Amino acid sequence: MQAAPVRATAIPTVTDALRAVESLLMSSGQRTARRNAWTSVLEDRRRAKDRVEAQRVLEAAAARG
């Protein structure tokens, strides 16, 4: 029994396909602005999660004392 042949090139992902379409439709400045905006959204979500966790810790400490 022979093993399946190894594929030399990677199969493109959905993300790769969307970035290719994006590069065709938008200028580089628009792409940069969009990516910066998304990075900001992700960072805001991370900070909100951290705030919730800090609030839980403070409430737990207050309940003990």
Side-chain angles (χ1 to χ4, degrees):
M1 183 178 225
Q2 292 182 349
V6 176
R7 187 178 206 123
T9 58
I11 298 171
T13 64
V14 173
T15 303
D16 293 336
L18 290 174
R19 284 196 177 145
V21 169
E22 176 188 56
S23 69
L24 293 173
L25 298 177
M26 294 182 171
S27 69
S28 65
Q30 287 174 321
R31 280 194 309 266
T32 301
R34 185 179 151 276
R35 287 189 182 144
N36 287 344
W38 183 244
T39 299
S40 294
V41 166
L42 295 177
E43 185 63 22
D44 287 346
R45 288 178 181 175
R46 187 194 61 77
R47 280 194 297 265
K49 191 175 173 183
D50 289 347
R51 278 193 304 273
V52 168
E53 182 61 26
Q55 185 66 32
R56 286 183 187 146
V57 169
L58 290 172
E59 288 172 356
R64 279 188 247 156

